[in-house]
Amino acid sequence: MRKAFVKKLVELAEREPRIHLLTGDLGFYVVEPFAERFPARFINAGVAEQNMMGMATGMAESGLIPFVYSIATFATLRPYEFIRNGPVLHNLPVKIVGVGGGVEYSHHGPTHFGLDDVGALRVQPGLSIITPCDSEQLNTAIEKTWDAPGPAYYRLSKNEGITVPGLNGRFEIGKIDFVANGQDALIIAMGNAAPEAQKAELSLAQKGISATVALVSSISPRPEDLLIETISRHRYVFTVEAHYINGGLGSMVSEVIAENGLNARLTRLAVRQVPKGMVGSEQYLCERLGISAKDITDKVVSCLNLAAR
Amino acid sequence: MTATQQVKSALTPEKFANEIRRLVLIESKRAGVGHIGSALSITEIIALLYSSVLNIPAPNAPDRDRFILSKGHAVLAQYAALYLKGFITREELGTFCNDGTALCGHPEIAVPGIDFATGSLGMGLSFGIGSAVAARKTNSSRKTYVLISDAELNEGALWESVLFAGHHGLSNLIVFVDQNGQQALGYTKDVLDTASVENKFKAFNWDVHSVDGHNCKQMQDTLKKLDCESGAPHVLVCKTTFGRGVSFMQNKIEWHYLPMTKEQFEQAMKELDT
């Protein structure tokens, strides 16, 4: 998805001179197409994310549109207070691009995981949080949001070539997208958890359980109306996210259920422990941390079985 | 031209500073707040900038210079200057720290003439770097001025900014260090010794000038000689006295926080008058 992002940014920058790309010295074999096409609009800020975010704030105040690129945790948590006092407080169009949400940096270890980026940023008013599920949707999301007046966070998958069948690049801010419709359960997935949710839906179908799969790529603003409408049609709701249990998608759906008095039984699938001492592939880690397709399937089955007793 | 603008155009930097100092005392007493000593140590720097240096014909004027008060807790001196410039009224200045005002104890962008909100130390220089970079990218000759404190040099993120500006030769960026030697709980030499600020900036490839931060003419002469078209970013390391102008505040740690009593206020005003 990184290469798709840079390709899209080059396309936009061809027609919009205000666009600049800042990187915290990351993006090897990724950012080069932009840097080569627009050398005067590309800045390697060095391994100095706080200054990079403050600098982006100053550039945006002067009328430019800086995209600030790094690994998700370095783009968000390291300069967190600069985001808060910079683009958020000043309501400036700084576009933060974080790569590798969840455990995509697998064997690099927990310092490189993005398990708290969405939760930390979701509390900031006016900051859009966009978590595309695949490259095609990313393209649409960037196209529709790059020139919004306020700040945004794009949580990009590190993995290239992922396509979510049935999504077909759809994206609307404040909306959700459906890739399966069923009656027995509602599975709501955020961004890069979409493939596991889809696998679970297929697995459940083989067991005679039909599930709706809703993908949330617009975390902020949250898709309030569609969530209310969709949750209201289901008794059993499951959220899936490559994120810690608190603060992310599951928390957001909980708020919608509670604030609207919806009659739903919610199960949140997310990371409940600090993932230390675990090394392995992304798939391995998802299984260890309880956010794989099998975990989703098992949770849905056990929940429905309990309900049937 | 407003009445205060007429006042401003007739004032020398020194007289502008005297007006700021009086307003700082009056409004901090009325509001019952501290940070007085910090505001008094930057009075001449602020007065020089707003009376004679900054090209800001009006708040939000296109292509205006940018000024960022990174040591935001001294903002009362800046609010006083904004009044003397005619950007806010005397009545508005008189709401400082009141319920419902935009004029809080640190710069607030809702106040006309404030471009950046600061208060969390170590951030303002990075905003200024963005402003200076943007000016370059858009072929603008405007300049960016940032005022930081010596205690602010404790902040690690600030050195990211110093490194970046030096590496990229941001010659359109001018930084003032208010070197009053104090911070909230002690003297800087005792808390975290910043030792030779000049040498530190030189090591990061800055154009360094050591000046008397209460001598407007010396600072102005220094500014006039700067090459803002090419070369290095500029820093004026300003030797200042914390609480300058009020004898019982000068170099006293407690005046970082304390508000004045009625008697202290009367004595302070008397000292300014003499």
mmCIF file of all heavy atoms in Angstrom, chain A residues 184-230:
data_model
loop_
_atom_site.group_PDB
_atom_site.id
_atom_site.type_symbol
_atom_site.label_atom_id
_atom_site.label_comp_id
_atom_site.label_asym_id
_atom_site.label_seq_id
_atom_site.Cartn_x
_atom_site.Cartn_y
_atom_site.Cartn_z
ATOM 1 N N ASP A 184 -26.887 -13.757 10.899
ATOM 2 C CA ASP A 184 -26.601 -14.331 12.220
ATOM 3 C C ASP A 184 -25.625 -13.503 13.042
ATOM 4 O O ASP A 184 -25.708 -13.516 14.276
ATOM 5 C CB ASP A 184 -26.017 -15.742 12.052
ATOM 6 C CG ASP A 184 -26.967 -16.642 11.276
ATOM 7 O OD1 ASP A 184 -28.199 -16.500 11.484
ATOM 8 O OD2 ASP A 184 -26.491 -17.469 10.472
ATOM 9 N N ALA A 185 -24.707 -12.822 12.386
ATOM 10 C CA ALA A 185 -23.691 -12.069 13.127
ATOM 11 C C ALA A 185 -23.217 -10.896 12.285
ATOM 12 O O ALA A 185 -23.284 -10.935 11.045
ATOM 13 C CB ALA A 185 -22.503 -12.967 13.469
ATOM 14 N N LEU A 186 -22.766 -9.882 12.975
ATOM 15 C CA LEU A 186 -22.160 -8.723 12.295
ATOM 16 C C LEU A 186 -20.695 -8.637 12.695
ATOM 17 O O LEU A 186 -20.377 -8.525 13.889
ATOM 18 C CB LEU A 186 -22.883 -7.430 12.712
ATOM 19 C CG LEU A 186 -22.204 -6.112 12.332
ATOM 20 C CD1 LEU A 186 -22.070 -5.972 10.812
ATOM 21 C CD2 LEU A 186 -22.991 -4.919 12.895
ATOM 22 N N ILE A 187 -19.820 -8.733 11.700
ATOM 23 C CA ILE A 187 -18.382 -8.584 11.953
ATOM 24 C C ILE A 187 -17.961 -7.229 11.398
ATOM 25 O O ILE A 187 -18.142 -6.945 10.214
ATOM 26 C CB ILE A 187 -17.574 -9.709 11.264
ATOM 27 C CG1 ILE A 187 -18.048 -11.090 11.746
ATOM 28 C CG2 ILE A 187 -16.079 -9.533 11.535
ATOM 29 C CD1 ILE A 187 -17.478 -12.256 10.949
ATOM 30 N N ILE A 188 -17.421 -6.398 12.279
ATOM 31 C CA ILE A 188 -16.959 -5.067 11.867
ATOM 32 C C ILE A 188 -15.443 -5.055 11.965
ATOM 33 O O ILE A 188 -14.880 -5.338 13.028
ATOM 34 C CB ILE A 188 -17.542 -3.967 12.778
ATOM 35 C CG1 ILE A 188 -19.072 -4.089 12.855
ATOM 36 C CG2 ILE A 188 -17.157 -2.584 12.266
ATOM 37 C CD1 ILE A 188 -19.707 -3.143 13.873
ATOM 38 N N ALA A 189 -14.780 -4.757 10.859
ATOM 39 C CA ALA A 189 -13.308 -4.808 10.851
ATOM 40 C C ALA A 189 -12.733 -3.452 10.476
ATOM 41 O O ALA A 189 -13.324 -2.697 9.707
ATOM 42 C CB ALA A 189 -12.819 -5.861 9.861
ATOM 43 N N MET A 190 -11.566 -3.182 11.043
ATOM 44 C CA MET A 190 -10.881 -1.918 10.753
ATOM 45 C C MET A 190 -9.667 -2.160 9.859
ATOM 46 O O MET A 190 -8.792 -2.968 10.202
ATOM 47 C CB MET A 190 -10.416 -1.274 12.059
ATOM 48 C CG MET A 190 -9.609 0.017 11.873
ATOM 49 S SD MET A 190 -9.155 0.785 13.443
ATOM 50 C CE MET A 190 -7.704 -0.160 13.880
ATOM 51 N N GLY A 191 -9.627 -1.453 8.728
ATOM 52 C CA GLY A 191 -8.436 -1.420 7.886
ATOM 53 C C GLY A 191 -7.840 -2.774 7.583
ATOM 54 O O GLY A 191 -8.472 -3.629 6.965
ATOM 55 N N ASN A 192 -6.615 -2.967 8.037
ATOM 56 C CA ASN A 192 -5.880 -4.162 7.644
ATOM 57 C C ASN A 192 -6.378 -5.446 8.310
ATOM 58 O O ASN A 192 -5.831 -6.518 8.066
ATOM 59 C CB ASN A 192 -4.379 -3.978 7.889
ATOM 60 C CG ASN A 192 -4.051 -3.654 9.338
ATOM 61 O OD1 ASN A 192 -4.936 -3.481 10.165
ATOM 62 N ND2 ASN A 192 -2.766 -3.576 9.645
ATOM 63 N N ALA A 193 -7.423 -5.360 9.127
ATOM 64 C CA ALA A 193 -8.035 -6.587 9.661
ATOM 65 C C ALA A 193 -9.091 -7.136 8.707
ATOM 66 O O ALA A 193 -9.650 -8.215 8.951
ATOM 67 C CB ALA A 193 -8.653 -6.320 11.034
ATOM 68 N N ALA A 194 -9.344 -6.419 7.624
ATOM 69 C CA ALA A 194 -10.403 -6.825 6.699
ATOM 70 C C ALA A 194 -10.200 -8.232 6.127
ATOM 71 O O ALA A 194 -11.146 -9.032 6.103
ATOM 72 C CB ALA A 194 -10.530 -5.802 5.566
ATOM 73 N N PRO A 195 -8.982 -8.582 5.679
ATOM 74 C CA PRO A 195 -8.826 -9.931 5.104
ATOM 75 C C PRO A 195 -9.160 -11.047 6.093
ATOM 76 O O PRO A 195 -9.769 -12.057 5.721
ATOM 77 C CB PRO A 195 -7.346 -9.965 4.698
ATOM 78 C CG PRO A 195 -6.987 -8.527 4.448
ATOM 79 C CD PRO A 195 -7.770 -7.767 5.465
ATOM 80 N N GLU A 196 -8.777 -10.896 7.350
ATOM 81 C CA GLU A 196 -9.089 -11.925 8.344
ATOM 82 C C GLU A 196 -10.594 -12.011 8.557
ATOM 83 O O GLU A 196 -11.145 -13.092 8.737
ATOM 84 C CB GLU A 196 -8.369 -11.619 9.666
ATOM 85 C CG GLU A 196 -6.850 -11.678 9.586
ATOM 86 C CD GLU A 196 -6.319 -13.045 9.149
ATOM 87 O OE1 GLU A 196 -6.615 -14.042 9.832
ATOM 88 O OE2 GLU A 196 -5.621 -13.106 8.122
ATOM 89 N N ALA A 197 -11.255 -10.864 8.567
ATOM 90 C CA ALA A 197 -12.710 -10.853 8.736
ATOM 91 C C ALA A 197 -13.387 -11.558 7.572
ATOM 92 O O ALA A 197 -14.354 -12.316 7.759
ATOM 93 C CB ALA A 197 -13.205 -9.411 8.842
ATOM 94 N N GLN A 198 -12.864 -11.330 6.371
ATOM 95 C CA GLN A 198 -13.462 -11.986 5.201
ATOM 96 C C GLN A 198 -13.246 -13.500 5.234
ATOM 97 O O GLN A 198 -14.141 -14.279 4.895
ATOM 98 C CB GLN A 198 -12.865 -11.401 3.925
ATOM 99 C CG GLN A 198 -13.476 -10.050 3.564
ATOM 100 C CD GLN A 198 -13.157 -9.654 2.145
ATOM 101 O OE1 GLN A 198 -11.982 -9.580 1.792
ATOM 102 N NE2 GLN A 198 -14.166 -9.402 1.350
ATOM 103 N N LYS A 199 -12.048 -13.903 5.644
ATOM 104 C CA LYS A 199 -11.785 -15.347 5.761
ATOM 105 C C LYS A 199 -12.726 -15.969 6.783
ATOM 106 O O LYS A 199 -13.251 -17.070 6.589
ATOM 107 C CB LYS A 199 -10.322 -15.572 6.198
ATOM 108 C CG LYS A 199 -9.306 -15.487 5.091
ATOM 109 C CD LYS A 199 -7.941 -15.909 5.611
ATOM 110 C CE LYS A 199 -6.914 -14.820 5.417
ATOM 111 N NZ LYS A 199 -5.664 -15.012 6.140
ATOM 112 N N ALA A 200 -12.944 -15.279 7.870
ATOM 113 C CA ALA A 200 -13.840 -15.793 8.911
ATOM 114 C C ALA A 200 -15.262 -15.929 8.362
ATOM 115 O O ALA A 200 -15.957 -16.905 8.658
ATOM 116 C CB ALA A 200 -13.812 -14.861 10.114
ATOM 117 N N GLU A 201 -15.668 -14.963 7.584
ATOM 118 C CA GLU A 201 -17.037 -15.004 7.032
ATOM 119 C C GLU A 201 -17.226 -16.247 6.158
ATOM 120 O O GLU A 201 -18.258 -16.930 6.241
ATOM 121 C CB GLU A 201 -17.286 -13.721 6.222
ATOM 122 C CG GLU A 201 -18.707 -13.544 5.734
ATOM 123 C CD GLU A 201 -18.952 -14.110 4.352
ATOM 124 O OE1 GLU A 201 -17.998 -14.136 3.544
ATOM 125 O OE2 GLU A 201 -20.090 -14.538 4.095
ATOM 126 N N LEU A 202 -16.182 -16.559 5.358
ATOM 127 C CA LEU A 202 -16.263 -17.744 4.502
ATOM 128 C C LEU A 202 -16.297 -19.014 5.352
ATOM 129 O O LEU A 202 -17.062 -19.952 5.087
ATOM 130 C CB LEU A 202 -15.067 -17.784 3.547
ATOM 131 C CG LEU A 202 -15.034 -16.677 2.488
ATOM 132 C CD1 LEU A 202 -13.730 -16.738 1.678
ATOM 133 C CD2 LEU A 202 -16.241 -16.809 1.559
ATOM 134 N N SER A 203 -15.476 -19.036 6.378
ATOM 135 C CA SER A 203 -15.415 -20.192 7.253
ATOM 136 C C SER A 203 -16.747 -20.402 7.982
ATOM 137 O O SER A 203 -17.235 -21.530 8.129
ATOM 138 C CB SER A 203 -14.264 -19.970 8.244
ATOM 139 O OG SER A 203 -14.269 -20.944 9.222
ATOM 140 N N LEU A 204 -17.336 -19.301 8.423
ATOM 141 C CA LEU A 204 -18.625 -19.382 9.114
ATOM 142 C C LEU A 204 -19.721 -19.870 8.161
ATOM 143 O O LEU A 204 -20.601 -20.644 8.553
ATOM 144 C CB LEU A 204 -18.998 -18.014 9.681
ATOM 145 C CG LEU A 204 -18.175 -17.558 10.892
ATOM 146 C CD1 LEU A 204 -18.357 -16.065 11.144
ATOM 147 C CD2 LEU A 204 -18.529 -18.359 12.134
ATOM 148 N N ALA A 205 -19.640 -19.409 6.917
ATOM 149 C CA ALA A 205 -20.642 -19.821 5.932
ATOM 150 C C ALA A 205 -20.630 -21.337 5.750
ATOM 151 O O ALA A 205 -21.687 -21.978 5.602
ATOM 152 C CB ALA A 205 -20.380 -19.113 4.603
ATOM 153 N N GLN A 206 -19.428 -21.917 5.809
ATOM 154 C CA GLN A 206 -19.316 -23.377 5.676
ATOM 155 C C GLN A 206 -19.956 -24.101 6.858
ATOM 156 O O GLN A 206 -20.322 -25.267 6.772
ATOM 157 C CB GLN A 206 -17.852 -23.776 5.549
ATOM 158 C CG GLN A 206 -17.251 -23.391 4.206
ATOM 159 C CD GLN A 206 -15.737 -23.609 4.146
ATOM 160 O OE1 GLN A 206 -15.113 -23.943 5.143
ATOM 161 N NE2 GLN A 206 -15.171 -23.409 2.970
ATOM 162 N N LYS A 207 -20.087 -23.376 7.956
ATOM 163 C CA LYS A 207 -20.719 -23.977 9.134
ATOM 164 C C LYS A 207 -22.198 -23.617 9.208
ATOM 165 O O LYS A 207 -22.863 -23.866 10.225
ATOM 166 C CB LYS A 207 -20.030 -23.473 10.410
ATOM 167 C CG LYS A 207 -18.563 -23.827 10.516
ATOM 168 C CD LYS A 207 -17.957 -23.176 11.765
ATOM 169 C CE LYS A 207 -16.439 -23.229 11.754
ATOM 170 N NZ LYS A 207 -15.902 -24.594 11.836
ATOM 171 N N GLY A 208 -22.686 -22.958 8.156
ATOM 172 C CA GLY A 208 -24.104 -22.607 8.129
ATOM 173 C C GLY A 208 -24.439 -21.326 8.860
ATOM 174 O O GLY A 208 -25.596 -21.064 9.183
ATOM 175 N N ILE A 209 -23.427 -20.525 9.148
ATOM 176 C CA ILE A 209 -23.658 -19.251 9.840
ATOM 177 C C ILE A 209 -23.433 -18.108 8.847
ATOM 178 O O ILE A 209 -22.374 -18.039 8.211
ATOM 179 C CB ILE A 209 -22.691 -19.089 11.032
ATOM 180 C CG1 ILE A 209 -22.918 -20.198 12.057
ATOM 181 C CG2 ILE A 209 -22.836 -17.715 11.676
ATOM 182 C CD1 ILE A 209 -21.875 -20.272 13.151
ATOM 183 N N SER A 210 -24.429 -17.276 8.698
ATOM 184 C CA SER A 210 -24.259 -16.168 7.740
ATOM 185 C C SER A 210 -23.936 -14.880 8.493
ATOM 186 O O SER A 210 -24.610 -14.534 9.463
ATOM 187 C CB SER A 210 -25.529 -15.998 6.898
ATOM 188 O OG SER A 210 -26.546 -15.404 7.645
ATOM 189 N N ALA A 211 -22.887 -14.217 8.030
ATOM 190 C CA ALA A 211 -22.426 -13.006 8.728
ATOM 191 C C ALA A 211 -22.382 -11.819 7.785
ATOM 192 O O ALA A 211 -22.070 -11.960 6.604
ATOM 193 C CB ALA A 211 -21.043 -13.240 9.328
ATOM 194 N N THR A 212 -22.696 -10.672 8.331
ATOM 195 C CA THR A 212 -22.446 -9.414 7.626
ATOM 196 C C THR A 212 -21.015 -8.989 7.937
ATOM 197 O O THR A 212 -20.580 -9.100 9.084
ATOM 198 C CB THR A 212 -23.412 -8.319 8.114
ATOM 199 O OG1 THR A 212 -24.743 -8.695 7.748
ATOM 200 C CG2 THR A 212 -23.069 -6.959 7.514
ATOM 201 N N VAL A 213 -20.287 -8.556 6.920
ATOM 202 C CA VAL A 213 -18.951 -8.021 7.163
ATOM 203 C C VAL A 213 -18.947 -6.547 6.771
ATOM 204 O O VAL A 213 -19.168 -6.202 5.607
ATOM 205 C CB VAL A 213 -17.864 -8.790 6.389
ATOM 206 C CG1 VAL A 213 -16.494 -8.126 6.611
ATOM 207 C CG2 VAL A 213 -17.823 -10.249 6.827
ATOM 208 N N ALA A 214 -18.745 -5.696 7.771
ATOM 209 C CA ALA A 214 -18.698 -4.244 7.540
ATOM 210 C C ALA A 214 -17.276 -3.768 7.780
ATOM 211 O O ALA A 214 -16.661 -4.115 8.785
ATOM 212 C CB ALA A 214 -19.659 -3.538 8.489
ATOM 213 N N LEU A 215 -16.771 -3.012 6.834
ATOM 214 C CA LEU A 215 -15.402 -2.499 6.956
ATOM 215 C C LEU A 215 -15.449 -1.020 7.321
ATOM 216 O O LEU A 215 -16.131 -0.224 6.662
ATOM 217 C CB LEU A 215 -14.646 -2.695 5.640
ATOM 218 C CG LEU A 215 -14.623 -4.144 5.106
ATOM 219 C CD1 LEU A 215 -13.841 -4.197 3.794
ATOM 220 C CD2 LEU A 215 -14.027 -5.103 6.133
ATOM 221 N N VAL A 216 -14.735 -0.677 8.368
ATOM 222 C CA VAL A 216 -14.681 0.725 8.786
ATOM 223 C C VAL A 216 -13.311 1.284 8.420
ATOM 224 O O VAL A 216 -12.289 0.870 8.971
ATOM 225 C CB VAL A 216 -14.923 0.871 10.298
ATOM 226 C CG1 VAL A 216 -14.797 2.341 10.699
ATOM 227 C CG2 VAL A 216 -16.293 0.338 10.681
ATOM 228 N N SER A 217 -13.308 2.193 7.491
ATOM 229 C CA SER A 217 -12.056 2.839 7.077
ATOM 230 C C SER A 217 -12.058 4.311 7.446
ATOM 231 O O SER A 217 -11.046 4.983 7.312
ATOM 232 C CB SER A 217 -11.860 2.695 5.566
ATOM 233 O OG SER A 217 -12.001 1.341 5.209
ATOM 234 N N SER A 218 -13.188 4.802 7.881
ATOM 235 C CA SER A 218 -13.302 6.162 8.389
ATOM 236 C C SER A 218 -13.574 6.053 9.880
ATOM 237 O O SER A 218 -14.710 5.934 10.315
ATOM 238 C CB SER A 218 -14.439 6.906 7.673
ATOM 239 O OG SER A 218 -14.687 8.145 8.299
ATOM 240 N N ILE A 219 -12.488 6.045 10.649
ATOM 241 C CA ILE A 219 -12.639 5.905 12.099
ATOM 242 C C ILE A 219 -13.078 7.232 12.708
ATOM 243 O O ILE A 219 -13.919 7.294 13.588
ATOM 244 C CB ILE A 219 -11.299 5.439 12.718
ATOM 245 C CG1 ILE A 219 -10.928 4.039 12.200
ATOM 246 C CG2 ILE A 219 -11.354 5.470 14.232
ATOM 247 C CD1 ILE A 219 -11.814 2.923 12.699
ATOM 248 N N SER A 220 -12.470 8.309 12.246
ATOM 249 C CA SER A 220 -12.890 9.659 12.636
ATOM 250 C C SER A 220 -13.010 10.492 11.372
ATOM 251 O O SER A 220 -12.035 10.568 10.623
ATOM 252 C CB SER A 220 -11.869 10.312 13.562
ATOM 253 O OG SER A 220 -11.812 9.664 14.795
ATOM 254 N N PRO A 221 -14.139 11.111 11.097
ATOM 255 C CA PRO A 221 -15.371 11.013 11.865
ATOM 256 C C PRO A 221 -15.955 9.612 11.789
ATOM 257 O O PRO A 221 -15.855 8.946 10.761
ATOM 258 C CB PRO A 221 -16.292 12.035 11.205
ATOM 259 C CG PRO A 221 -15.774 12.179 9.811
ATOM 260 C CD PRO A 221 -14.303 11.968 9.896
ATOM 261 N N ARG A 222 -16.557 9.209 12.900
ATOM 262 C CA ARG A 222 -17.055 7.834 12.939
ATOM 263 C C ARG A 222 -18.350 7.710 12.137
ATOM 264 O O ARG A 222 -19.135 8.662 12.067
ATOM 265 C CB ARG A 222 -17.249 7.381 14.376
ATOM 266 C CG ARG A 222 -18.385 8.030 15.115
ATOM 267 C CD ARG A 222 -18.355 7.610 16.581
ATOM 268 N NE ARG A 222 -19.561 8.025 17.280
ATOM 269 C CZ ARG A 222 -19.690 7.994 18.607
ATOM 270 N NH1 ARG A 222 -18.691 7.576 19.355
ATOM 271 N NH2 ARG A 222 -20.822 8.361 19.179
ATOM 272 N N PRO A 223 -18.543 6.544 11.570
ATOM 273 C CA PRO A 223 -19.728 6.347 10.714
ATOM 274 C C PRO A 223 -20.980 6.079 11.541
ATOM 275 O O PRO A 223 -21.563 4.993 11.503
ATOM 276 C CB PRO A 223 -19.338 5.137 9.863
ATOM 277 C CG PRO A 223 -18.340 4.388 10.685
ATOM 278 C CD PRO A 223 -17.640 5.380 11.562
ATOM 279 N N GLU A 224 -21.389 7.062 12.257
ATOM 280 C CA GLU A 224 -22.445 6.926 13.273
ATOM 281 C C GLU A 224 -23.743 6.333 12.705
ATOM 282 O O GLU A 224 -24.232 5.304 13.179
ATOM 283 C CB GLU A 224 -22.713 8.318 13.859
ATOM 284 C CG GLU A 224 -23.746 8.339 14.950
ATOM 285 C CD GLU A 224 -23.109 8.371 16.335
ATOM 286 O OE1 GLU A 224 -21.881 8.541 16.420
ATOM 287 O OE2 GLU A 224 -23.844 8.222 17.306
ATOM 288 N N ASP A 225 -24.283 6.990 11.703
ATOM 289 C CA ASP A 225 -25.611 6.587 11.232
ATOM 290 C C ASP A 225 -25.608 5.168 10.682
ATOM 291 O O ASP A 225 -26.509 4.370 10.977
ATOM 292 C CB ASP A 225 -26.111 7.562 10.147
ATOM 293 C CG ASP A 225 -26.376 8.948 10.725
ATOM 294 O OD1 ASP A 225 -26.458 9.058 11.969
ATOM 295 O OD2 ASP A 225 -26.476 9.907 9.948
ATOM 296 N N LEU A 226 -24.612 4.852 9.878
ATOM 297 C CA LEU A 226 -24.576 3.508 9.286
ATOM 298 C C LEU A 226 -24.319 2.444 10.350
ATOM 299 O O LEU A 226 -24.841 1.331 10.260
ATOM 300 C CB LEU A 226 -23.494 3.447 8.204
ATOM 301 C CG LEU A 226 -23.966 3.849 6.803
ATOM 302 C CD1 LEU A 226 -22.784 3.951 5.853
ATOM 303 C CD2 LEU A 226 -24.979 2.818 6.270
ATOM 304 N N LEU A 227 -23.521 2.770 11.339
ATOM 305 C CA LEU A 227 -23.291 1.798 12.411
ATOM 306 C C LEU A 227 -24.590 1.546 13.186
ATOM 307 O O LEU A 227 -24.938 0.395 13.481
ATOM 308 C CB LEU A 227 -22.199 2.298 13.365
ATOM 309 C CG LEU A 227 -20.756 2.060 12.926
ATOM 310 C CD1 LEU A 227 -19.780 2.704 13.918
ATOM 311 C CD2 LEU A 227 -20.446 0.559 12.791
ATOM 312 N N ILE A 228 -25.302 2.607 13.493
ATOM 313 C CA ILE A 228 -26.570 2.445 14.232
ATOM 314 C C ILE A 228 -27.524 1.566 13.422
ATOM 315 O O ILE A 228 -28.111 0.605 13.938
ATOM 316 C CB ILE A 228 -27.223 3.821 14.508
ATOM 317 C CG1 ILE A 228 -26.362 4.633 15.477
ATOM 318 C CG2 ILE A 228 -28.635 3.654 15.047
ATOM 319 C CD1 ILE A 228 -26.801 6.087 15.616
ATOM 320 N N GLU A 229 -27.624 1.898 12.158
ATOM 321 C CA GLU A 229 -28.572 1.171 11.299
ATOM 322 C C GLU A 229 -28.170 -0.295 11.176
ATOM 323 O O GLU A 229 -29.008 -1.194 11.276
ATOM 324 C CB GLU A 229 -28.602 1.872 9.927
ATOM 325 C CG GLU A 229 -29.714 1.452 9.006
ATOM 326 C CD GLU A 229 -29.305 0.274 8.134
ATOM 327 O OE1 GLU A 229 -28.108 0.189 7.761
ATOM 328 O OE2 GLU A 229 -30.174 -0.568 7.856
ATOM 329 N N THR A 230 -26.878 -0.545 11.014
ATOM 330 C CA THR A 230 -26.411 -1.918 10.802
ATOM 331 C C THR A 230 -26.451 -2.732 12.089
ATOM 332 O O THR A 230 -26.904 -3.887 12.098
ATOM 333 C CB THR A 230 -24.966 -1.894 10.249
ATOM 334 O OG1 THR A 230 -24.917 -1.034 9.116
ATOM 335 C CG2 THR A 230 -24.523 -3.291 9.833
#
